Amino acid sequence: MSLIDRIKQFLGFKAKPDKEAKADEGASKKEVKKVAEEKAKPRIGYIHLSGCTGDVISLSENYDILAELLTNMVDIVYGQTLVDNWEVPEMDLALVEGSVCLQDEHSLQELMEVREKAAMVCAFGSCSATGCFTRYSRGGQQAQPAHESFVPIADLVKVDCAIPGCPPTPEIIAKTVVALINGDMDYLQPMIDLAGYTEACGCDLQLKVVNQALCIACGTCAMSCQTRALDMTNGRPELNEDRCVKCGICYVQCPRSWWPEEQIKKDLGL
Amino acid sequence: MVLGTYKEIVSARATDKEIQNVSQDGGIVTGLLAYALDEKIIEGAVVAGPGEEFWKPEPMVAMTADEIIAAAGTKYTFSPNVMMLKKAVRQYGIEKLGTVAIPCQTMGIRKTQSYPFGVRFLADKIKLLVGIYCMENFPFASLQTFISEKMGIDPTLVEKMDIGKGKFWVYTQDDVFNIPLKETHGYEQDGCNVCLDYTCELADLATGSVGSPDGWSTVITRTEDGNSIFQQAVETGVFETKDMANVKPGLDLLEKLAAQKKDKNQKTIDKRKEMGLPVPY
C-alpha cells in the first residue's frame, strides 16, 4: 500500500470513484513517488513564537504517518529542538506557531527573517492566525513585565494560509500536508482564505451569522468549541465569554460562514 | 440534479408494527437506526429526543433500539443534534456513531468531516447519517403560535404534528386540527430561506413522506455505505418496498417541491447579494 493510500485510510476517506479522480490520484501518486525519488522534498521550517506548543504536539499526534512523513516526504530545515540550525535557511514552507509579541525584539526579527526566506508562510494554530487567548494579554507579569501586546502574525507579515484551531486537530494537519504534497490547491483554498480572518471571537456567531439571518440552529458551533464556551439556547448559540479564547473555530466550522460543497461531494463520492 | 446525487429511490415502510404505530410516516429513520444498532453497524445514535417542555425536543444519545423508538416522530422545531455528536463520542465512548439530521445539520457535519479544524477524532466515527427532507424549520414560539393561538389547543394534548397536503396538522387523542400552510409563512426561521437543499443531498440516505402514500416514505440512497445498509435492512425484512413508478403521488411531487425550494430560495439569495448581505453559497 502506498503512503498516500495509507494516509487516506488513516483519515477514513475513500477516493472519488469516478475515472477523472482516479486518473488524478494516479498522477498524484506518481508525483509523490517522483518527488521522493528525486529527493526534492519540500523544505519545512517550524517557528515557535508565543504559544503553548499545543499545535506542534497535535502535529506529532499523527503517529501513524509521522515517521514516514518526516523521513521520506519532507525535510525539516529549521526549528527549535527539531534542527540544529540557528540561521534561518531558505525554505518552501514556514509553519509559524504562536502570536508575535511586539515587545519581543527576537520574535519580531525571526518572523521578518522567516517571511523573507520562506516561499509560503502558514499561520499554524489559532494563536498565530487570530491571536487566540494571547489576545487577553495585558502585560505586567513576570518574567517579562513589558511583554504586553500579542498579535496574529498577519498583522506584521503577509500570511499565505492559516490553519486555525486551539490546537488544530491532528487530522486537519495531516490532510493539509497531504494536500500540499499533492498540490491539491482546491483543498487548500479555505486555508488561503482564512489567512484574512485575524479578528476572531465567539461573538462572531451573533454578529456574522445570527445578525445576518443565517443561523439555522444546527449546533455545529457548539460542538466545535474547544473550550465549551458555547451552548445552544432556543436554537441559537449562547456564548459564555469567560470561557471563549477567541480561536475562531466556531465561526470557521459554521456551515453558514463558508461552504466547501465540491470538496465535500468529492470526499463522499457524490 | 434537483434531488441531488443518488443511487436508488424507492417507497418504503418499516414492517415492525411497534415502529409503524409511533413513526411519522414509513418509520425509515427509526427502523434503520434501530437495525444499525442491532447489527452493530453503529454503537449509538444522536436523535431528537423528548425534552422537558412538550414538543420542545432535545438532542440525545440513544444507545438502544427502545430509546430510538421513544424518539420517533417529526419535531417541527430546533433540535441542535450536531452539538451532541462530540459528546456521544467523548462521554459515551461511541466509536461508531449514527445520527438523523436535516439538510443544514448535515452540512455542518459534512463540513466538519472534510475540514476538521477544531474537532478531533470525530470525522471518521460517523458511520450512518440518515437525512430527512426539510422545507423550513420553526422557532418553538412559532409552534406555540400555531397551536395555542391559531388553533386554540392546549399543547399538552398534542399527540402528533404533520405537514402535508398544503396544511399544518395537529392530532390530539380525539381530534384533528389544521391551518393552511400559508398561515405559517413568516413564522419560519429566516436562515432557512437561503437553503437550497430539500432532500438532504449530502446524507448517506435521505427520507421523507413526500412522493409516497400515507404510512410510507420515499427513500433516496446516496453514498455507498447508505445504500448498502438500506439494502441489507430491506433484505432482512426490516422494510418492505414499492417501486416509485407504482405509487401515488410519486416522484414528480418530490421533484416539484425540491425545485420549488431551490427556485424560491435562490431568489432570496440573489436579493441578499443585491443588498450586500453575506451568503455562504
Side-chain angles (χ1 to χ4, degrees), chain B residues 33 36-38 40-47 60-64 67-68 85 88 92-99 125-128:
Chain B
L33 289 177
L37 262 180
D38 288 343
K40 302 194 169 31
I41 296 164
I42 57 172
E43 297 165 356
V46 172
V47 296
M60 66 170 260
V61 181
M63 305 286 282
T64 64
E67 285 175 316
I68 297 215
L85 296 176
Y92 291 71
I94 293 170
E95 291 284 324
K96 296 183 286 183
L97 184 61
T99 191
K125 295 192 171 67
I126 297 169
K127 298 297 182 197
L128 178 61

Side-chain angles (χ1 to χ4, degrees), chain A residues 108-184:
Chain A
L108 291 171
Q109 193 196 331
E110 192 180 20
L111 182 62
M112 298 303 168
E113 219 175 318
V114 163
R115 178 63 276 187
E116 249 173 60
K117 300 280 181 63
M120 233 178 128
V121 170
C122 175
F124 181 58
S126 282
C127 279
S128 183
T130 72
C132 201
F133 82 107
T134 67
R135 286 282 196 189
Y136 288 103
S137 177
R138 294 144 53 89
Q141 291 187 359
Q142 297 298 357
Q144 296 283 358
H147 285 195
E148 167 182 352
S149 317
F150 295 78
V151 293
I153 60 168
D155 281 12
L156 294 171
V157 295
K158 181 178 172 292
V159 172
D160 301 292
C161 69
I163 310 177
C166 186
T169 63
E171 296 114 299
I172 196 74
I173 297 167
K175 283 162 84 87
T176 306
V177 169
V178 173
L180 267 175
I181 290 167
N182 285 337
D184 182 353

Side-chain angles (χ1 to χ4, degrees), chain B residues 264-279:
Chain B
K264 177 175 146 282
N265 291 352
Q266 186 59 51
K267 287 195 185 100
T268 311
I269 289 173
D270 295 343
K271 207 170 118 193
R272 282 181 62 98
K273 283 181 178 163
E274 260 172 46
M275 291 193 285
L277 292 171
V279 177

